[in-house]
Amino acid sequence: MILYSGVAVVTILLGLLVDNRRKRQNGIVTRQQILNVLSLVSVFLILFALSACRLNVGNDYAKYVEFMHLVNCDAFVPTEAGFNFIVKVLYGISGGENFLLVFAFFSFFTVLFFLAAIYRQADSFGFSFFLFMALGYYFQSFNTVRYYLALALALYAIPYVLKKQWGRFALLMLLGATLHKSLLVVIPLYFLASLPWKKWQLAVAAVFCSTFFFMQDFYLKMVVFLYPTYEDTEYLEGGTSIVNIVRCFAVLILALFCYKRSVKDSPRNRFYFYCNLGALVMYVCCSFLPIISRIGYYLTITHIFFLPSLVMGIPDFKWRRLSKAGVIGAGILYFGIFILMKAGGDGLRILPYETFLFHDMVPILSDVN
């Protein structure tokens, strides 16, 4: 807990030194740009090192080691072809089952794409990076490493959506889907969020969403068709998060308060607005769907950009300051609850932190058998 809190504080302080809005002038490299590079490299190295050096941290760490072993033995695994290919290549390069190298590979690119996306899109790198850390996205990447690399790719691809560069966007999503096929849902979801919805269209969408309440069996069959390995498993039990519902609702209230000034005439903020609205609808109406949070995260990840944009767009200094303090306070509270109550639980199990430098890997299923 102390380690994670310390890493969060240090990297956030370094992130506050970054000014991603400052452009190069007349080809001259400024002090701020040098500071940006030093700060970003430091943040990247700290986050990458913490993630890459972990051992048996994450509730599915041993399961991934087992999958890698089976891939190397040419046995069947439920993981996607891209993941299997990476394992084969890295195991071939290292001359053995070096699972640490595979985890390091995913850590490297996950952190890289997250930081690149934040630097590229944030109104304030420091504010958005604070939310990225406080909302637990980085620490949760210790689990389901394929998914969080896919999430980083989805975040990185948002500018392609806003610029209507659908070919580049679709190509990147299809490539990412070879690692985690849930990324395919991002294509229709981000397309829908980019549309300038009319009131009557929202009413029609609301009627459609009502079908989730009385056609649950139909939608579950669709999920099993897309994910055959979910059939007759605990993954079909569904479930939702009250915390995510409250968070999305709070963001919606702030967005409605700032709608005329910051959302209505801004295609980017409208996109974030509909992402948040879509996530709220999913969490409320689709709790029966398996792992709905994974789909919702593709939408709620935009909070790290949307909240700073809303807060910084408030014209009154007093209200802007109070709103910023409220967002920061909520972020710190969220992080505290995450570390104290969730990080060590069975759903995450990222505490206690262990590293290959001082610990040994537990036996996997193949070793026991």
Side-chain angles (χ1 to χ4, degrees):
M1 183 175 68
I2 296 176
L3 175 64
Y4 290 166
S5 300
V7 166
V9 170
V10 170
T11 54
I12 288 170
L13 291 176
L14 287 169
L16 292 174
L17 300 177
V18 176
D19 182 359
N20 60 317
R21 300 292 95 181
R22 185 73 61 88
K23 303 298 182 182
R24 181 178 295 187
Q25 300 176 350
N26 300 323
I28 300 174
V29 178
T30 64
R31 291 183 179 179
Q32 181 60 56
Q33 289 173 322
I34 296 174
L35 183 60
N36 284 352
V37 172
L38 293 175
S39 299
L40 286 170
V41 170
S42 299
V43 170
F44 174 82
L45 291 177
I46 292 172
L47 298 184
F48 167 65
L50 185 69
S51 180
C53 292
R54 75 187 191 279
L55 181 73
N56 200 30
V57 175
N59 67 343
D60 58 358
Y61 192 99
K63 183 181 294 184
Y64 267 107
V65 176
E66 172 74 12
F67 285 161
M68 295 175 203
H69 170 72
L70 294 176
V71 168
N72 194 49
C73 296
D74 295 320
F76 170 78
V77 287
T79 49
E80 288 78 0
F83 173 81
N84 300 343
F85 175 76
I86 291 171
V87 171
K88 280 279 192 180
V89 170
L90 294 180
Y91 273 17
I93 291 174
S94 60
E97 296 193 359
N98 190 346
F99 57 86
L100 294 172
L101 181 60
V102 179
F103 281 110
F105 175 92
F106 277 87
S107 298
F108 181 92
F109 286 102
T110 300
V111 174
L112 179 66
F113 277 107
F114 271 131
L115 290 182
I118 297 172
Y119 186 84
R120 186 184 183 192
Q121 300 173 54
D123 289 335
S124 167
F125 181 90
F127 200 169
S128 291
F129 181 74
F130 162 77
L131 291 173
F132 171 71
M133 295 298 292
L135 296 178
Y137 289 111
Y138 166 70
F139 293 107
Q140 291 188 79
S141 70
F142 292 0
N143 279 301
T144 54
V145 295
R146 294 177 298 125
Y147 169 78
Y148 275 91
L149 178 51
L151 181 64
L153 290 173
L155 189 69
Y156 183 81
I158 287 176
Y160 297 141
V161 176
L162 299 178
K163 296 176 182 178
K164 310 298 182 183
Q165 296 175 341
W166 298 114
R168 293 184 180 182
F169 170 67
L171 182 61
L172 186 56
M173 295 303 94
L174 291 173
L175 179 63
T178 65
L179 300 175
H180 202 283
K181 56 187 173 185
S182 69
L183 193 58
L184 292 174
V185 304
V186 170
I187 297 177
L189 289 178
Y190 280 11
F191 172 74
L192 291 172
S194 70
L195 297 177
W197 289 78
K198 307 293 184 182
K199 290 183 179 179
W200 69 267
Q201 293 172 324
L202 290 173
V204 171
V207 172
F208 170 76
C209 290
S210 68
T211 64
F212 289 117
F213 292 108
F214 56 85
M215 295 178 60
Q216 295 184 4
D217 290 340
F218 170 75
Y219 290 115
L220 282 174
K221 288 179 181 178
M222 289 182 59
V223 170
V224 172
F225 175 77
L226 294 173
Y227 292 88
T229 56
Y230 282 2
E231 190 170 9
D232 298 326
T233 68
E234 71 275 10
Y235 293 119
L236 287 183
E237 294 177 359
T240 190
S241 169
I242 299 300
V243 173
N244 284 333
I245 292 175
V246 172
R247 179 174 132 196
C248 289
F249 186 74
V251 173
L252 178 63
I253 296 299
L254 179 61
L256 291 174
F257 177 76
C258 303
Y259 190 84
K260 287 186 177 180
R261 179 173 294 274
S262 299
V263 179
K264 183 178 180 181
D265 298 321
S266 171
R268 184 187 64 159
N269 283 347
R270 275 205 317 270
F271 172 80
Y272 298 151
F273 177 85
Y274 287 123
C275 281
N276 179 72
L277 183 61
L280 180 59
V281 170
M282 284 186 179
Y283 287 131
V284 172
C285 301
C286 305
S287 60
F288 65 94
L289 291 177
I291 320 181
I292 189 63
S293 62
R294 291 190 181 183
I295 300 176
Y297 271 27
Y298 286 124
L299 301 174
T300 59
I301 187 67
T302 59
H303 287 173
I304 68 174
F305 301 140
F306 194 29
L307 285 171
S309 182
L310 291 175
V311 170
M312 295 167 68
I314 297 175
D316 184 82
F317 174 77
K318 179 181 178 180
W319 280 108
R320 184 169 66 249
R321 191 172 182 179
L322 286 173
S323 298
K324 187 174 183 179
V327 171
I328 293 174
I332 294 173
L333 178 63
Y334 190 100
F335 181 78
I337 294 174
F338 172 78
I339 291 295
L340 292 174
M341 300 180 62
K342 293 184 62 178
D346 292 337
L348 289 176
R349 214 188 63 75
I350 60 174
L351 283 174
Y353 181 81
E354 295 182 354
T355 170
F356 68 86
L357 298 173
F358 306 110
H359 301 87
D360 295 321
M361 181 61 193
V362 298
I364 60 175
L365 183 62
S366 295
D367 294 333
V368 174
N369 293 337

